[in-house]
Amino acid sequence: MAAAFAAVGGKWKLTLIYWLAHGESHFAGLRRRAAPITPKVLAQQLRELEADGLVERTETGPVPAPVIYRLTPYGETVLPVVESVRLWGEAHLERTHGQVAPSDRMSCGRAVA
């Protein structure tokens, strides 16, 4: 469990993996989706996911060209966990009558393939 939590634990990593499961994105695109996350924390979480081999970072040209993030094949192995957590979260919202509902920007309503 400790190794798994080290790789995907924390407030943002599973959410970032979820969003990247639906397609590659540049930093600004992820920043817009994760409105409450600061750019510093977003960059840190992405660096950690990259260091663990879950996310690939591709520079598209010289600065200030956007950097594209995508899941690696190894990152895709985490998707069943992400989907299980997403489904549990939906059931939890129903059980608590939506009292802890996330904002639409942070919503993860679509299933992971």
Side-chain angles (χ1 to χ4, degrees):
M1 292 285 288
F5 280 116
V8 298
K11 186 174 181 179
W12 296 105
K13 288 182 181 177
L14 287 179
T15 302
L16 291 169
I17 291 168
Y18 169 83
W19 288 331
L20 291 172
H22 294 288
E24 63 185 30
S25 183
H26 51 82
F27 186 90
L30 291 170
R31 174 77 177 103
R32 277 192 296 275
R33 287 183 136 168
I37 190 172
T38 65
K40 178 183 175 183
V41 172
L42 177 59
Q44 177 186 2
Q45 296 287 278
L46 289 168
R47 273 194 303 271
E48 290 174 10
L49 289 168
E50 183 183 11
D52 286 325
L54 302 171
V55 169
E56 176 181 73
R57 178 183 188 272
T58 304
E59 296 179 12
T60 61
V63 175
V67 174
I68 301 296
Y69 293 91
R70 68 178 57 86
L71 288 181
T72 64
Y74 183 58
E76 291 174 1
T77 67
V78 181
L79 295 181
V81 174
V82 173
E83 182 64 6
S84 293
V85 171
R86 186 189 72 79
L87 292 172
W88 183 89
E90 285 182 356
H92 180 66
L93 284 176
E94 288 177 20
R95 185 172 189 264
T96 61
H97 308 292
Q99 293 174 4
V100 292
S103 70
D104 287 341
R105 291 183 100 170
M106 293 179 52
S107 179
C108 296
R110 292 185 351 215
V112 174

